[in-house]
Amino acid sequence: MDGRRAGTWTLVWAALALVLGYSFWELVHGRIVGPEPFTAFGPLGAIGCCCLTGRSYRRWRRPLRLRVGPAGIGMREVTRKESFFSWQDIAAVTVGRPPTTGDIRPWLVVWPLPGSRSHDSPSYLVDGHKAFALVRLDRLPGGAEAVVPVVREYAGERYAETA
């Protein structure tokens, strides 16, 4: 989810939480607003919407982060921990279509060496090789034009473009 959509959903969930909370407030004070079952479950809906508001707000304010440097390559998805791979554990870094999918948009995919420790379950398993799809490049500022030269420089011979 990109920043604009996360901001929109933050406002939607906050407004819905206010409406549900207000309808319950009116029910408690003897003034029924809308159907009674709707207002009776208002507190549960308001709590759920508050949780979703917080989640969307974190996604909105904490964007994606791709880190490429001499130590390795790392990707932090919004609201999740960073997946980091050191260069010594990487067999290849590819930019292109992710394996085994019909998606034609370019992705940054890391292929770790066999036996290296992997902290997440792989996104793909192709002929017994693990692959981690880090990010779709059109989601990052500057897109592939900004990311590919940096990845190519640090990955060196590990870098490959796929069709």
Side-chain angles (χ1 to χ4, degrees):
M1 180 184 311
D2 67 350
R4 288 171 291 178
R5 284 185 39 204
T8 302
W9 279 109
T10 299
L11 295 175
V12 167
W13 293 125
L16 195 54
L18 286 172
V19 167
L20 291 171
Y22 176 74
S23 66
F24 182 71
W25 176 265
E26 291 295 319
L27 177 69
V28 169
H29 288 86
R31 298 180 299 263
I32 298 174
V33 178
E36 283 188 38
F38 176 73
T39 57
F41 289 108
L44 294 175
I47 290 170
C49 288
C50 284
C51 292
L52 291 171
T53 300
R55 183 172 178 237
S56 295
Y57 181 76
R58 282 192 311 271
R59 285 178 174 247
W60 184 28
R61 302 310 301 163
R62 187 176 180 202
L64 295 170
R65 184 176 119 188
L66 177 66
R67 210 168 37 117
V68 180
I73 186 168
M75 176 65 198
R76 183 189 70 204
E77 185 69 44
V78 232
T79 71
R80 293 196 184 126
K81 289 176 62 176
E82 181 179 46
S83 296
F84 186 79
F85 299 89
S86 65
W87 290 120
Q88 65 189 11
D89 293 334
I90 296 175
V93 177
T94 60
V95 172
R97 268 188 28 206
T100 69
T101 66
D103 192 0
I104 60 169
R105 297 172 292 198
W107 281 72
L108 183 62
V109 181
V110 172
W111 300 78
L113 289 168
S116 66
R117 79 166 180 81
S118 59
H119 33 291
D120 297 329
S121 59
S123 305
Y124 307 102
L125 193 60
V126 180
D127 294 333
H129 299 285
K130 296 177 184 178
F132 295 86
L134 292 184
V135 66
R136 201 176 70 223
L137 293 179
D138 62 350
R139 294 177 63 200
L140 295 170
E145 295 80 24
V147 174
V148 169
V150 176
V151 172
R152 185 181 294 135
E153 178 182 336
Y154 283 106
E157 64 187 24
R158 295 178 187 94
Y159 176 78
E161 288 193 39
T162 59

